[in-house]
């Protein structure tokens, strides 16, 4: 989405520049492609030859269409009509219905057809986009299976019942595919007057950047493969054939559905320094001496506690913090909001160019400004990666009242 997309931009512009390792963009692209193909081949070999058989031996099965019983097929058919078909929008390709805009890394199906539709129109191909609200894996009822856990892929369901979407026509082939797009934001920080506004304007286009890779199922016909490559202005060097679902990441929900702790890695519990185990005040511990935390082997909770306690402590007068990646649900941001609402001087340096977290960071920046916090956006031309936090607290000493600074460096 970023690095290879950048290489392809160089190739498109005909760049002849040689990198510091003495390679041209063409050679780097070739090497990256070879390495990526080897990794993907190994990934699917592991999935098909080890993971699936291993799960099957433990009574956790992914059923192929050819192995569905009549009762299973009837249940799946009902599921298709109830849960799947209402949210699908098949698009027959003809002069009045051009190839649709395909979202970055979304699951889609290319359909080969023959015959005429209900309006008497002929169409050789259609596209069915699978909305992300649909689960990529469906669990079958226990009473329909001879094992404890049985699943079917959404792709299998669509393959079996896609004909229901094209009344009067014959489906010759149904092939899943996914396109990866250039997801970099084209922002010249030196030229724009308002970086935040510019990024907000660029974000909606991120899902529709130039295509850089096409993944298709290994059963995709040569004709359909060439057609798809042409639609995305890609060549054979950008094509990846995979022996299974085109997005294995969406299978990560399955372990949550199967309560078999014996098949999972044991939960890791990060440690905590002894100095923090016997006191409720993080300020008392820090005042006694520096504390070193080794993440992720030691807990991040002390950092959260520091900011959480600072937000409510009446002696704390100011909090200053840098923010790189936050996510949409951040306890640290919630503490900063609360601190500002409690009347503390809150200053936050928000990095707007945190790739793929720009939208979340802009959202938090807006919320912080709404409660009176000071928000700044780093230094033009540089990216703020450092995680720093400073809490200024009024404390009593032998010499009288003083402001003490507590600093976290990450």
């Amino acid at each position: 989405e970023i690095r290879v997309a950048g290489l392809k931009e160089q190739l498109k512009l005909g760049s002849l520049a040689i990198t510091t390792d003495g390679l041209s963009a063409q050679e780097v692209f070739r090497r990256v492609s070879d390495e990526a193909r080897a990794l993907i081949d190994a990934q699917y070999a592991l999935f098909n030859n080890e993971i699936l058989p291993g799960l099957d031996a433990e009574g956790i099965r992914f059923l192929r269409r050819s192995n569905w019983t009549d009762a299973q097929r009837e249940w799946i058919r009902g599921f298709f009509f109830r849960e799947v078909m209402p949210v699908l929008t098949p698009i027959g390709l003809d002069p009045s219905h051009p190839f649709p805009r395909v979202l970055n890394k979304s699951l889609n199906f290319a359909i080969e057809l023959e015959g005429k539709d209900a309006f008497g129109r002929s169409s050789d191909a259609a596209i069915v986009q699978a909305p992300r609200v649909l689960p990529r894996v469906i669990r079958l009822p226990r009473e329909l299976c001879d094992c404890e856990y049985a699943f079917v892929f959404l792709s299998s369901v669509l393959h079996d019942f896609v004909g229901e979407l094209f009344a009067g026509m014959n489906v010759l082939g149904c092939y899943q595919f996914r396109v990866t797009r250039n997801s970099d934001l084209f922002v010249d920080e030196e030229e724009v007057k308002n970086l935040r506004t510019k990024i907000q304007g660029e974000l909606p286009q991120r899902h529709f950047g130039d295509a850089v890779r096409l993944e298709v199922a290994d059963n995709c016909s040569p004709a359909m493969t060439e057609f798809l490559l042409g639609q995305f202005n890609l060549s054979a060097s950008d094509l990846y054939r995979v022996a299974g679902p085109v997005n294995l990441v969406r299978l990560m929900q399955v372990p949550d559905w199967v309560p078999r702790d014996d098949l999972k890695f044991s939960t890791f519990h990060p440690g905590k320094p002894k100095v923090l185990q016997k006191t409720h005040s993080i300020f008392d511990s820090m005042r006694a001496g520096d504390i070193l935390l080794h993440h992720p082997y030691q807990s991040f909770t002390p950092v959260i506690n520091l900011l959480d306690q600072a937000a409510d402590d009446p002696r704390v007068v100011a909090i200053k913090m840098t923010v790189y990646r936050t996510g949409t649900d951040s306890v640290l941001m919630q503490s900063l909001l609360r601190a500002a609402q409690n009347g503390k001087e809150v200053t936050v340096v928000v990095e707007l160019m945190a790739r793929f977290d720009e939208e979340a960071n802009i959202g938090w920046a807006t919320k912080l400004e709404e409660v009176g916090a000071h928000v700044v956006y780093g230094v033009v031309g540089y990216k703020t990666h450092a995680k720093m936090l400073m809490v200024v607290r009024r404390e009593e000493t032998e010499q009288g009242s003083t402001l003490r600074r507590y600093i976290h460096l990450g």
Side-chain angles (χ1 to χ4, degrees):
E1 288 180 89
I2 303 297
R3 306 301 182 196
V4 171
L7 283 172
K8 289 184 69 65
E9 286 294 319
Q10 293 182 49
L11 296 175
K12 185 188 300 183
L13 296 173
S15 173
L16 299 177
I18 302 299
T19 59
T20 53
D21 56 6
L23 301 177
S24 66
Q26 182 69 45
E27 178 62 16
V28 173
F29 177 72
R30 185 190 67 77
R31 292 194 183 190
V32 170
S33 297
D34 290 346
E35 191 70 22
R37 291 180 194 285
L39 287 169
I40 290 172
D41 288 344
Q43 182 183 38
Y44 279 89
L46 177 65
F47 178 68
N48 290 309
N49 302 331
E50 296 188 42
I51 293 177
L52 289 183
L55 290 174
D56 186 272
E58 296 288 344
I60 304 165
R61 295 173 186 163
F62 290 81
L63 305 180
R64 296 182 177 276
R65 288 183 294 149
S66 57
N67 295 330
W68 292 352
T69 65
D70 291 342
Q72 290 170 346
R73 186 176 301 277
E74 187 61 29
W75 186 91
I76 296 170
R77 179 183 178 84
F79 180 87
F80 173 80
F81 281 105
R82 290 192 318 272
E83 304 290 338
V84 179
M85 190 172 179
V87 298
L88 296 181
T89 305
I91 301 174
L93 302 182
D94 56 45
S96 63
H97 298 87
F99 199 91
R101 297 181 74 184
V102 174
L103 282 172
N104 180 40
K105 297 195 294 186
S106 61
L107 176 63
N108 303 271
F109 293 83
I111 317 298
E112 290 180 337
L113 300 166
E114 69 173 3
K116 297 182 181 296
D117 64 15
F119 298 96
R121 299 172 302 182
S122 297
S123 179
D124 295 331
I127 299 297
V128 177
Q129 299 176 322
R132 291 182 174 175
V133 297
L134 290 175
R136 297 310 189 243
V137 179
I138 299 106
R139 183 183 176 185
L140 297 180
R142 175 66 181 87
E143 59 271 17
L144 296 180
C145 311
D146 59 357
C147 59
E148 185 68 23
Y149 302 96
F151 301 94
V152 293
F153 295 119
L154 175 66
S155 55
S156 296
V157 176
L158 276 169
H159 282 142
D160 210 63
F161 298 105
V162 70
E164 302 291 345
L165 302 174
F166 303 96
M169 305 187 76
N170 295 324
V171 174
L172 303 179
C174 176
Y175 316 109
Q176 56 178 309
F177 72 91
R178 183 174 76 149
V179 63
T180 302
R181 296 185 178 276
N182 184 342
S183 296
D184 207 1
L185 297 181
F186 298 97
V187 178
D188 187 340
E189 297 181 54
E190 298 286 352
E191 295 293 330
V192 299
K193 295 181 179 180
N194 189 320
L195 182 60
R196 175 169 160 181
T197 301
K198 179 64 175 177
I199 291 176
Q200 284 178 308
E202 289 288 326
L203 284 173
Q205 300 304 314
R206 164 169 276 168
H207 296 301
F208 299 105
D210 290 343
V212 297
R213 175 179 65 172
L214 175 66
E215 295 169 274
V216 299
D218 57 2
N219 67 334
C220 190
S221 68
M224 181 56 75
T225 299
E226 287 301 316
F227 174 73
L228 291 173
L229 286 172
Q231 292 299 317
F232 296 116
N233 294 317
L234 296 174
S235 65
S237 62
D238 306 309
L239 176 68
Y240 291 75
R241 288 185 175 273
V242 298
V246 295
N247 185 3
L248 294 177
V249 173
R250 291 296 296 270
L251 303 184
M252 290 302 294
Q253 59 191 309
V254 173
D256 295 332
W257 295 345
V258 181
R260 288 286 303 275
D261 291 341
D262 58 310
L263 299 180
K264 304 175 185 179
F265 290 111
S266 59
T267 302
F268 174 71
H269 299 284
K272 185 182 294 186
K274 291 182 179 180
V275 68
L276 296 175
Q277 296 177 359
K278 299 179 180 179
T279 178
H280 295 293
S281 172
I282 191 75
F283 296 108
D284 291 343
S285 300
M286 293 180 70
R287 192 160 51 245
D290 292 340
I291 301 172
L292 177 65
L293 297 173
H294 189 186
H295 303 310
Y297 306 104
Q298 288 184 298
S299 174
F300 191 72
T301 302
V303 181
I304 297 174
N305 291 343
L306 171 61
L307 189 55
D308 185 59
Q309 291 180 25
D312 297 320
D313 190 332
R315 295 186 180 184
V316 170
V317 297
I319 299 175
K320 303 181 181 185
M321 183 175 177
T322 62
V323 171
Y324 179 58
R325 295 193 182 277
T326 56
T328 56
D329 184 19
S330 169
V331 293
L332 294 177
M333 293 298 99
Q334 295 292 350
S335 294
L336 285 175
L337 290 171
R338 195 169 72 254
Q341 291 168 332
N342 288 340
K344 305 183 189 309
E345 190 75 8
V346 175
T347 303
V348 185
V349 179
V350 177
E351 178 52 69
L352 293 181
M353 299 299 287
R355 188 167 285 136
F356 299 113
D357 278 328
E358 300 96 342
E359 188 171 5
N361 283 7
I362 290 173
W364 285 117
T366 301
K367 292 179 181 179
L368 286 165
E369 288 175 335
E370 290 173 350
V371 296
H374 303 291
V375 177
V376 293
Y377 298 114
V379 181
V380 172
Y382 293 87
K383 185 177 287 188
T384 303
H385 273 272
K387 284 74 173 175
M388 296 187 291
L389 167 64
M390 182 170 71
V391 176
V392 182
R393 189 172 188 258
R394 184 171 298 282
E395 298 182 354
E396 297 298 327
T397 67
E398 293 180 357
Q399 290 75 32
S401 177
T402 186
L403 291 177
R404 185 188 296 270
R405 289 175 294 181
Y406 293 86
I407 299 174
H408 165 258
L409 300 176

